[in-house]
Amino acid sequence: FSAYQGAPPADGGVDGGGSSTVNLVYLQAFDPISGDSHGPATPLFRAVDDPYVYVQDVSVAPTGEIALLHSSGTPADGAQSQLWASFFAPASADAGAGAPLALVRSVQLENAHFVAAQITWSALDAAFVVSWKYLTADWYGRVRKLRVDGKSAGGDTNIVPRPAQLYGSDDDCRAGTSGPFVGVVYKDNPSTY
């Protein structure tokens, strides 16, 4: 997966909608053994038309569903402020060879400056676990669990409990899963450990 911002593709790709600039997420497949490409990158879907589109992270369920975190920025300062999760299922056989994935749903997760967006699979919950660090009055950590179709799996937390405030915009607040537990690692302030 890769992000693109620019003129709509001249090859037809994804409908540019008359805009002079579009945000697209591209897909390119590679052989898992040799690393050989299975063809050129092709537009997968059009992302929100805000500046600075990025692919943040991706996770794959054992059954083949994919959750992709992508984001857009804030005009004038370049900070990431719109976090989205898009969910894909393997395309049906009648979709043709050019459509390996079908978009199931896109869900907006954050509407504030954020860093460190990460997604991982929880086998016990059969859900994707998303974590990130966001800024309002201070920096906070957040965790959400989402099913393969993008619907809530419950067990979310708006603010990860912590003994002290989080340390700035460092790349932390990363989640991991083990059985029924979700653990979040972060740096606190002022110790920064």
Side-chain angles (χ1 to χ4, degrees):
F1 298 97
S2 59
Y4 166 82
Q5 181 181 41
D11 62 1
V14 173
D15 177 21
S19 174
S20 60
T21 302
V22 295
N23 289 344
L24 301 173
V25 173
Y26 275 72
L27 171 69
Q28 185 170 12
F30 296 89
D31 184 274
I33 305 299
S34 68
D36 293 340
S37 172
H38 285 287
T42 57
L44 180 62
F45 71 99
R46 184 173 175 174
V48 175
D49 282 336
D50 286 333
Y52 321 115
V53 63
Y54 292 102
V55 169
Q56 296 286 335
D57 201 7
V58 64
S59 184
V60 181
T63 49
E65 293 87 358
I66 297 173
L68 172 73
L69 294 182
H70 54 97
S71 62
S72 59
T74 303
D77 71 7
Q80 295 298 286
S81 57
Q82 301 285 324
L83 178 61
W84 295 81
S86 290
F87 298 85
F88 299 90
S92 62
D94 60 352
L101 298 175
L103 178 63
V104 175
R105 159 181 293 116
S106 290
V107 178
Q108 186 174 11
L109 301 175
E110 188 59 80
N111 189 23
H113 288 255
F114 75 91
V115 294
Q118 176 226 354
I119 190 164
T120 190
W121 177 254
S122 171
L124 185 71
D125 294 319
F128 294 104
V129 177
V130 185
S131 61
W132 68 95
K133 188 172 172 180
Y134 67 98
L135 176 66
T136 53
D138 200 351
W139 286 99
Y140 301 98
R142 183 173 285 173
V143 174
R144 288 196 60 190
K145 289 183 185 177
L146 300 160
R147 302 267 180 234
V148 295
D149 62 1
K151 294 180 181 176
S152 177
D156 302 345
T157 177
N158 282 335
I159 298 177
V160 174
R162 73 237 188 263
Q165 72 184 49
L166 296 180
Y167 184 72
S169 62
D170 284 2
D171 186 5
D172 56 0
C173 281
R174 302 289 185 160
T177 64
S178 178
F181 302 105
V182 174
V184 180
V185 62
Y186 58 85
K187 289 190 208 178
D188 65 12
N189 193 16
S191 72
T192 71
Y193 294 108

